[in-house]
Amino acid sequence: MYKKYIKRILDFILALILLSFFSPLILIIAILLKITQKSVIFTQIRPGLNEKEFKIYKFKTMSDEKDEQGNLLPDEMRLKSLGKIIRSLSLDELLQLFNVLKGDMSFVGPRPLLSEYLKLYDSRQKMRHNVKPGITGWAQVNGRNNISWKQKFELDVYYVEHISFALDLKILFLTFFKVLKRSGINKTGQATTEKFNGKN
């Protein structure tokens, strides 16, 4: 009952409330990004429930700077001071409230990853797509980007197998403190998370 009906109702109501509450902050961030790096919103196609693709929204925290050959500079060079602050506070995820409102995502669930990873998953890892992807999840409160991909996927599958209102509340509660502590944002020594290659 919770997984099929109640979770979606709670997602919709909470997304409306939070969008209303955070709308001034969203506007301020958008203006600052427009001034400092011109582009504001990052969109990308990601696989969601049952591997159905949708467009995810995030604040764009990296510039589009390129080298003399026209190639994008390394991530750490394109991540400026404002972008670092936005990412460290997880404010880049605020626009995903619109994804929750649309029904593409839930507040809690496995994070939506790149479509190119689909062919790399084993049968158990594919189970992460048996539920809607989330803004936060069990893997995010148990190491986030400082654990291996295999550990993350195992935590994702654990969530799929044990989904409940109590577990969702626990994850949301732990997420709040993780954001305050700014822990596990990126893998130690890296500006962004390394890509999954089917082995790491």
Side-chain angles (χ1 to χ4, degrees), residues 9-134:
I9 295 171
L10 293 177
D11 279 340
F12 187 83
I13 294 172
L14 186 56
L16 277 178
I17 293 172
L18 292 181
L19 276 172
S20 298
F21 180 79
F22 284 114
S23 55
L25 179 59
I26 290 173
L27 180 60
I28 291 171
I29 293 173
I31 292 172
L32 290 174
L33 287 174
K34 186 66 176 178
I35 293 172
T36 58
Q37 62 182 39
K38 309 303 181 186
S39 53
V40 175
I41 300 175
F42 170 82
T43 63
Q44 193 173 54
I45 300 300
R46 301 279 179 94
L49 176 64
N50 298 322
E51 300 182 11
K52 181 181 178 181
E53 293 186 324
F54 70 97
K55 184 182 289 185
I56 193 173
Y57 305 105
K58 297 179 72 173
F59 276 121
K60 191 168 184 176
T61 54
M62 289 190 286
S63 68
D64 293 320
E65 294 175 272
K66 299 179 180 179
D67 59 23
E68 295 177 354
Q69 286 72 43
N71 300 312
L72 285 173
L73 293 173
D75 291 346
E76 59 270 17
M77 296 180 67
R78 294 187 293 120
L79 187 60
K80 308 302 182 182
S81 298
L82 178 60
K84 288 179 181 178
I85 294 172
I86 292 172
R87 284 171 63 88
S88 69
L89 294 172
S90 296
L91 296 177
D92 55 322
E93 315 286 358
L94 276 176
L95 294 186
Q96 285 164 46
L97 290 172
F98 290 103
N99 287 119
V100 175
L101 206 59
K102 288 172 60 182
D104 297 324
M105 294 177 63
S106 175
F107 274 96
V108 181
R111 285 293 297 160
L113 303 175
L114 300 177
S115 296
E116 65 191 69
Y117 294 169
L118 289 174
K119 63 181 181 294
L120 302 175
Y121 297 145
D122 60 31
S123 58
R124 182 165 175 78
Q125 292 168 347
K126 279 181 175 289
M127 290 174 62
R128 69 191 311 279
H129 290 287
N130 289 351
V131 298
K132 287 183 182 179

Side-chain angles (χ1 to χ4, degrees), residues 4 101-102 120 152 163 165 178 191 197:
K4 195 171 183 180
L101 206 59
K102 288 172 60 182
L120 302 175
K152 276 191 266 191
I163 186 171
F165 178 64
K178 286 281 184 179
N197 59 22

